[in-house]
Structure formats: C-alpha cells, structure tokens
Amino acid sequence: MVAGIPKTVLHLHIEGSLEPELAFVLAERNSMAPGSQGFPYESLDQLRAAYRFADLGAFLDVYYAVAGVLRTEDDFHALAEAYGRRLQAEGVRWAEVFFDPQTHTSRGIPFDTVVRGLQRGFASAHAAGIHVALVLCFLRDAPVGEPAELQAASSADGFASMDQATAWATLGQLLQHRATDGAKVPNVPIIGIGLDSYEKPYPPELFTDVFEHARARGLAATAHAGEEGPPQFVWTSIRELKVSRIDHGVRSTEDPELMAFLAQEHDTPEIVAAYGRPHRIPLTVCPRSNYMLKVFPDPTRSNLLELLDAGVLACIHSDDPAYFGGYASDNYLAVIDWLDPSWAQLRQLARNGVLAAWGTDAAKQPLLDDVDAWFSRWMP
Ligand code: ADE
Ligand code: ZN
C-alpha cells in the first residue's frame, strides 16, 4: 500500500543503487575478472555476504570497491535507467539524485562520461513525468585543492589519481558542463551540491569556500552531517556552508539548542533561494541506512518520530538502497514496522518529503495535494 504514497527522493546516492547483479554484469562487460584487484568479489554470494557493516567507514570501503565496475557512459546509463524504473514503480514523483564524480574521475573517467550517462539513463523517468535532477556530492576525504583548479579543469579530461580530482577541480567541471553539455540536456540538470563520504575526521568547514563559490552560481547546497559526526557538524554545515538541507542529521537530538533552531523557519538568502520563502532546514533521514550502519543498532530506538514531534522537518529516504535492504517504500515500511507511527505522523512524514524538496510552494503544491488525497483516501 505505501508504494502508492506520492514520494520524493532527496537523499539517494546513485552509486548506492548499484545492485549486485548489475555490478557483475558491468564487471564482465569491462573485462574485470571476479576476484581480481579491480573487482575483489568472486561471486554474488560473496558480495552479498560483504553487506554486513560495522559502521559508515566499513560500508564505504565496499561501496567504493563495487563502484569500480562503472567505467563507460553506457555503464552510468544502465545504472540510472535501472534506478529510473524503480522511481516509476515506487510512486516517486520528484527526485534530486546524488552522484559522486570524484569516485570516478579519480580513476581516469571523464566527468562528462559520468554525467552524460546518468542524464541519458534518466530520460525515460523524465518522459514518464517524474521531476529528475542531479546533485553533485563532494567527497569530504578527497583533497579540497585550490581555486586556481577551477580554470584548469576541462570537463573532458580524465584524472590519473584522487590527488588531482579535487573539490575545486570538480566544481570547475560542473560549471563547465552546465555551460556546454548541460544546456543541451535541460531535462536532468545538475541543480545542487552536497558533501558525503567518511564523516568524522573531515569537518564541513574544510569546504566553506567551495560551497560559497557554488552557491554564488545558483547551486543549492546540502551536506551529510550528524550521521556519525557530532551535532557541531550540523551547526557548521548551516553556518559555514550555508546549506538549505541536512542529510541524516539524526544526532541533532543531542543538542537542544540545535533542535530549537531546526524547528524554526529562517529567512537567510540561501534558504529563500532554495524554497522561495522563509523555511525550516529539513533533515533527510534514512531509517534502513541508520540501522545497517549501526547509527541505531536497535532500529526501534530511531529518533525519527522524536524529531518530527519536536517540529523538525524530517522526512524518509533510502540513502544506498542496494546495500541497506530497500528503496523508498521499504523505508516507509521499516518506519511503520519499527516505530509504529500514527496516521497523522505518517502523513506528516510524507508531506515533509515534499516540503523538503528544492522548489517553490507553487511548484510543489500539486504533489502535496496528491499526498493529502492519498491520505484522505486511506486514513481511518
Ligand atoms: N556515501 C554514500 N552513502 C553515504 C552515507 N550514508 N554517508 C556518507 N557518505 C555516503
Ligand atoms: Zn547519504
């Protein structure tokens, strides 16, 4: 039944939607022998057995190893097309999809190969009426680099190592893509930037200047914070990076002042640019991810409803569905199963999914109306 709830996808890493079966197909297509250094898994069973994670870092080690099978534009196309079919099956109407270009450019794969493949792959979802956009996530463990690299970055060039796939060079590639290729493929634009990967040793303020440069060029901003890092990272993402959304943010409940701040609307220029009016800063919470990465080893202790009841704009997302046992609907089902929300709480979570999307009220109202219509049909 929850598949019918009109949904948004705001916290989904496209590389995290790479299912093991497709990973093996792509490995073979790229002549990467199972069990070799490039693809260190002998069989589907062995790969699936690796999906038991002690923490975020242990997960990311596997996630990056598997992402190594993505090499050609057709590989990225296949990845996005498969996920686009999920969007249609799951009642998703609006998707702002994360991708991690540095994971690929650091292996010598050109930025445009990645983006063109993703954009082509999402064409069917777009044609089916789904609002699809891309959000470029910087890897917090990759070097930030220097502003001079903005100019040096020709988006057609590959890079030989992670040392050269810096945040500044990547931003240069994004801006160049937008001015050239992006203008030709307006249906799946890159609308924003994010920050992800290993959290604890890499505070958000390392990226203040990169984010400022990107925001000044009209890109919306979000950041992973307060997943395994402290509430202070949520504060610095808001104050230094000036994000209009936070990914995860579940550790915010440890800081009452932060909770009060998140429950209020703010009218800073970046918030008004993202939503067209003063707005709360949403948290995109990923229940199955938090369970699988042991943020909440006992999922019945997830604080999602605590956030909601405190007036925080929290909503349900899936993070890396191929690794965490489920897509959008599975995360709704997990919340129902683990937390037993009231109908009113469930409706609020679904409405929050729409409110948290980057766009004006006018753009989102039809979707909000459909969420309300779904709940008035089913709610006792
Ligand atoms: N990259 C992919 N999934 C992530 C997560 N949950 N946290 C940080 N970086 C990620
Ligand atoms: Zn994430």
Side-chain angles (χ1 to χ4, degrees):
M1 189 167 84
V2 296
I5 300 175
K7 297 181 199 69
T8 62
V9 160
L10 308 178
H11 183 167
L12 175 287
H13 304 264
I14 193 66
E15 292 88 350
S17 74
L18 177 51
E19 292 285 349
E21 291 78 6
L22 181 57
F24 270 83
V25 169
L26 299 184
E28 188 175 356
R29 197 150 101 179
N30 290 316
S31 310
M32 299 165 84
S36 66
Q37 208 189 351
F39 186 54
Y41 303 99
E42 301 272 1
S43 64
L44 273 174
D45 283 348
Q46 197 204 12
L47 178 54
R48 286 212 190 87
Y51 289 10
R52 275 187 219 106
F53 312 111
D55 56 18
L56 172 64
F59 155 67
L60 288 170
D61 294 344
V62 178
Y63 166 91
Y64 291 127
V66 177
V69 300
L70 294 159
R71 302 204 67 87
T72 66
E73 185 176 319
D74 282 349
D75 298 341
F76 290 96
H77 175 270
L79 178 68
E81 192 167 60
Y83 185 62
R85 282 195 295 271
R86 295 272 185 180
L87 291 175
Q88 295 182 57
E90 297 238 322
V92 174
R93 300 267 299 276
W94 183 301
E96 296 168 7
V97 176
F98 293 159
F99 71 112
D100 286 345
Q102 289 157 292
T103 302
H104 315 299
T105 53
S106 64
R107 297 181 288 122
I109 296 161
F111 182 91
D112 283 350
T113 297
V114 177
V115 176
R116 276 187 205 142
L118 295 178
Q119 287 174 325
R120 277 206 299 120
F122 278 123
S124 319
H126 177 266
I130 303 174
H131 169 113
V132 191
L134 298 173
V135 177
L136 182 159
C137 284
F138 296 105
L139 302 183
R140 55 210 308 160
D141 53 316
V144 179
E146 302 293 334
E149 292 167 72
L150 266 179
Q151 314 305 331
S154 156
S155 62
D157 286 346
F159 286 97
S161 75
M162 182 59 97
D163 284 354
Q164 290 159 287
T166 65
W168 278 110
T170 304
L171 179 56
Q173 291 157 3
L174 187 173
L175 296 173
Q176 177 160 333
H177 168 84
R178 204 168 60 160
T180 54
D181 247 57
K184 287 182 244 145
V185 194
N187 292 341
V188 187
I190 304 176
I191 58 163
I193 54 165
L195 187 63
D196 65 3
S197 200
Y198 305 88
E199 183 179 4
K200 261 194 202 145
Y202 304 100
E205 55 270 29
L206 293 169
F207 294 86
T208 300
D209 296 344
V210 175
F211 270 59
E212 188 179 341
H213 192 91
R215 280 188 301 92
R217 277 145 194 84
L219 291 157
T222 183
H224 283 56
E227 177 183 15
E228 66 170 25
Q232 184 59 28
F233 282 14
V234 178
W235 278 123
T236 44
S237 296
I238 295 169
R239 289 186 172 147
E240 303 286 329
L241 305 187
K242 298 189 172 33
V243 297
S244 50
R245 204 156 65 206
I246 291 283
D247 299 309
H248 296 294
V250 291
R251 289 194 56 193
S252 302
T253 51
E254 295 169 28
D255 181 338
E257 207 184 314
L258 177 57
M259 288 292 283
F261 184 89
L262 292 172
Q264 285 160 15
E265 291 193 341
H266 301 279
D267 62 357
T268 55
E270 57 279 4
I271 302 279
V272 174
Y275 302 106
R277 63 167 170 89
H279 211 274
R280 285 174 288 168
I281 297 174
L283 302 188
T284 60
V285 177
C286 304
R288 290 205 58 86
S289 165
N290 287 168
Y291 167 56
M292 291 293 286
L293 300 187
K294 302 195 168 40
V295 175
F296 295 108
D298 173 357
T300 66
R301 301 185 78 102
S302 154
N303 59 8
L304 177 63
L305 299 184
E306 188 188 335
L307 289 162
L308 192 72
D309 293 344
V312 175
L313 208 168
C315 43
I316 299 175
H317 297 283
S318 53
D319 211 3
D320 302 285
Y323 293 88
F324 301 149
Y327 289 78
S329 298
D330 302 301
N331 277 276
Y332 271 81
L333 287 172
V335 168
I336 292 167
D337 195 24
W338 294 335
L339 305 177
D340 195 22
S342 67
W343 274 95
Q345 286 170 320
L346 201 58
R347 181 177 57 186
Q348 191 62 59
L349 287 163
R351 294 187 105 248
N352 284 356
V354 180
L355 296 174
W358 283 326
T360 59
D361 287 344
K364 298 185 290 189
Q365 193 61 48
L367 184 46
L368 209 50
D369 289 344
D370 288 351
V371 171
D372 288 342
W374 190 92
F375 278 89
S376 30
R377 175 148 178 245
W378 291 102
M379 238 167 118

